[in-house]
Amino acid sequence: MANDRPIYFDNAATTAMDPRVVEAMAPWQGELYANPSSQHGPGRRARAAVNRAREQVAALIGARPQEIVFTGSGTEADNLALAGVIDANRGEPSHLVTSAIEHPAVLETARALQRRGAALTIVPVDSVGRVDPDDVRRALRPDTRLVSIMAANNVIGTLQPVNEIAEVARAAGALFHTDAVQAAGATRIDVAASAIDLLSLSAHKLHGPKGVGALYVRHGVALAPLIHGGGQERGLRSATENVAGIVGLGRAAELAADHLNSDIAGLTELRDRLIAGIRDACPNAYLIGDPVQRLAGHVCLGFSSQEGEAIRLLLALDEAGVAVSTGSACSASHTAEPSYVLQALGFDAFRARGALRLTLSRNNTLEEVERVIAILPGLVSSLRRIATSRR
Ligand code: PLP
C-alpha cells in the first residue's frame, strides 16, 4: 500500500489548489505586482483583477459584487461579521445567538464579545447536529442584533436549515450570519433568494489558496471594521489587497460554480459508497451526523466500543498512505481532547474522542474509496485485538 499514491481524504481541513487557480495567480505573484490603489496603468490593472474576483465570488453565492468584502481568512470573515455587527451598535444593549457546534472562529468570537458586555445565547443541537429553528425563535429578544448559525459543520458534515433560521431572525428584526466556510462551493447558496445578511467563506476549502476569505455583507447592513487604516474594501478591511490570493479565490469560486452540480452528484455517490462499504465490512461502525442533510463529500464515523482508538486508527491509516482526520484539523493540537461538537450531540467524553473524519473532494476517485474500504476493516480489527489484549 505504502508504494501507491497517497490518498487524501482530509478535504474539510484543506483542499489542493486547482492547477487552473495556480495558473491564474502566477502573474500576480510575479511581474504584476502593482498596488491596486495606485493610479497608474499597472495599478489599475491590479484593481481590475480584484474587481473581477469580486464578481466571481459574488456569482457563486448569488450576491452583488459590491456586497463582497475580501478578508485574510474564513476566521477573519467570521470575526468581522460578529464583532462588526455588535460594534456597529456600540452603546446599545446587544444580544447574540449562535449554536453549540460552531467553528471556534464563531464561538470564540462570540465569547470574546460576551466578555466585552454583549449578551450571548448558545442554542443546542439534536443528536445528528441539527439546530431547531424554534430554539432560535425562543432565544430571540428585543435586543438581539445577530443570529449566527453555520451552513455546514466541519466535524460532522451536518447541514443546517439556514434559510429557515434566517427568516426567523429577520422576522424578529435581527441580522443573520452564516459561516459557509465548509458549504460554499459544496452546496447551492443563493443569498439573494434568502434572508441571509452576512456569509463567510474561505478560499482554501474550495481548491483556492490559504490565507484569503470573503464576507458577503448584504447592501445596507451596517458593520464596524475590525482593521482600521487606509480604507480599502469600502473601509471594512484596510490593508493593501492580497491581489494574488484574491485572484485565486475568484478563480476557485468560478470553478466551484462551474463544477457544482457534477461535484455534488459525484461526491454524494462516493460518500455513500464509502459509508456503505465501511459499514458492511465493520459491523461496529456507525455514521455520525445527519444521514441525509449532510455535505456531499463528508463522512464521519464512530466505531462502537473502540471510540478511544480514533487517533490510533488515524495513524494506522496514515502509515497505509491514507490521510484522514479525527474531528477537526483546526483543533489538531487537542486531538486527545473530547470534541465539543460530538459532546453537543450527546456523546459522553469517551465517545467524543472517537470520530474518524473522511472528507472527499472532486480530486478523489472511486478506486480510492474502494482501497480505503479494503484497508480499514483490517486496521479496525487489529486495533481491537491490541485493545482487548491490553485490558
Ligand atoms: N469555519 C469553518 C466551518 C471551518 O471549517 C474553518 C476552517 O476549518 C473556518 C471557519 C476557518 O477558516 P480559515 O481556515 O480560512 O480561517
Side-chain angles (χ1 to χ4, degrees), residues 12-14 71-78 101-106 150-155 179-183 200-205 209-214 328-331 357:
T14 197
T71 63
S73 60
T75 299
E76 188 190 317
D78 285 340
I101 63 166
E102 297 298 312
H103 188 274
V106 166
M150 70 202 317
N153 182 268
N154 45 310
V155 178
D179 174 342
V181 167
Q182 293 290 338
S200 308
L201 57 85
S202 176
H204 76 104
K205 308 288 187 179
K210 294 172 182 60
V212 55
S328 163
C330 299
S331 57
R357 185 181 74 172

Side-chain angles (χ1 to χ4, degrees), residues 49 56 91 102 115 137 153 174 200 212 280 313 340 372 388:
Q56 291 164 318
E102 297 298 312
R115 287 192 292 275
R137 200 189 318 274
N153 182 268
S200 308
V212 55
D280 283 350
L313 206 45
Y340 68 89
V372 171
T388 315

Side-chain angles (χ1 to χ4, degrees), residues 242-308:
N242 169 8
V243 180
I246 289 170
V247 166
L249 169 55
R251 183 73 176 118
E254 182 178 57
L255 291 168
D258 291 349
H259 282 270
L260 192 60
N261 289 336
S262 61
D263 276 1
I264 292 175
L267 289 174
T268 303
E269 213 168 293
L270 291 185
R271 176 197 73 190
D272 291 347
R273 170 67 196 132
L274 187 58
I275 295 170
I278 294 175
R279 270 176 161 174
D280 283 350
C282 307
N284 68 333
Y286 57 93
L287 186 70
I288 300 171
D290 196 306
V292 180
Q293 297 299 328
R294 70 184 300 122
L295 283 169
H298 201 297
V299 177
C300 185
L301 294 168
F303 296 88
S304 49
S305 75
Q306 267 179 288
E307 281 91 353

Side-chain angles (χ1 to χ4, degrees), residues 71-381:
T71 63
S73 60
T75 299
E76 188 190 317
D78 285 340
N79 274 258
L80 177 57
L82 271 67
V85 168
I86 299 300
D87 287 351
N89 287 284
R90 261 282 158 87
E92 292 172 41
S94 292
H95 174 234
L96 188 65
V97 178
T98 190
S99 88
I101 63 166
E102 297 298 312
H103 188 274
V106 166
L107 267 182
E108 292 307 317
T109 305
R111 291 189 181 118
L113 291 167
Q114 187 182 30
R115 287 192 292 275
R116 279 164 38 189
L120 174 64
T121 301
I122 297 181
V123 294
V125 293
D126 67 14
S127 62
V128 293
R130 294 264 289 180
V131 172
D132 181 345
D134 283 334
D135 281 337
V136 174
R137 200 189 318 274
R138 279 188 287 272
L140 293 168
R141 315 188 328 194
D143 63 344
T144 307
R145 305 277 169 222
L146 183 69
V147 175
S148 178
I149 303 290
M150 70 202 317
N153 182 268
N154 45 310
V155 178
I156 55 171
T158 297
L159 302 173
Q160 301 296 349
V162 281
N163 290 337
E164 206 182 321
I165 299 172
E167 295 291 347
V168 168
R170 177 168 288 182
L175 295 172
F176 180 76
H177 165 251
T178 189
D179 174 342
V181 167
Q182 293 290 338
T187 62
R188 275 177 211 90
I189 297 172
D190 185 358
V191 289
S194 83
I196 296 170
D197 298 298
L198 298 142
L199 177 147
S200 308
L201 57 85
S202 176
H204 76 104
K205 308 288 187 179
L206 45 114
H207 302 284
K210 294 172 182 60
V212 55
L215 182 67
Y216 156 75
V217 184
R218 181 181 290 282
H219 177 73
V221 168
L223 217 55
L226 285 180
I227 298 175
H228 304 268
Q232 291 89 343
E233 296 297 293
R234 293 189 290 115
L236 285 172
R237 209 284 183 172
S238 289
T240 300
E241 297 86 340
N242 169 8
V243 180
I246 289 170
V247 166
L249 169 55
R251 183 73 176 118
E254 182 178 57
L255 291 168
D258 291 349
H259 282 270
L260 192 60
N261 289 336
S262 61
D263 276 1
I264 292 175
L267 289 174
T268 303
E269 213 168 293
L270 291 185
R271 176 197 73 190
D272 291 347
R273 170 67 196 132
L274 187 58
I275 295 170
I278 294 175
R279 270 176 161 174
D280 283 350
C282 307
N284 68 333
Y286 57 93
L287 186 70
I288 300 171
D290 196 306
V292 180
Q293 297 299 328
R294 70 184 300 122
L295 283 169
H298 201 297
V299 177
C300 185
L301 294 168
F303 296 88
S304 49
S305 75
Q306 267 179 288
E307 281 91 353
E309 308 289 315
I311 184 69
R312 289 181 212 278
L313 206 45
L314 175 147
L315 296 173
L317 279 166
D318 189 32
E319 186 98 333
V322 185
V324 301
S325 159
T326 59
S328 163
C330 299
S331 57
S333 54
H334 312 118
T335 40
E337 295 293 313
S339 155
Y340 68 89
V341 173
L342 298 187
Q343 287 182 308
L345 268 58
F347 285 45
D348 63 28
F350 175 71
R351 288 177 70 224
R353 282 194 189 85
L356 199 67
R357 185 181 74 172
L358 304 96
T359 46
L360 315 175
S361 81
R362 62 170 175 258
N363 292 339
N364 293 121
T365 62
L366 183 59
E367 195 200 342
E368 291 178 320
V369 165
E370 296 298 346
R371 252 168 72 199
V372 171
I373 293 171
I375 299 168
L376 190 60
L379 299 177
V380 171
S381 52

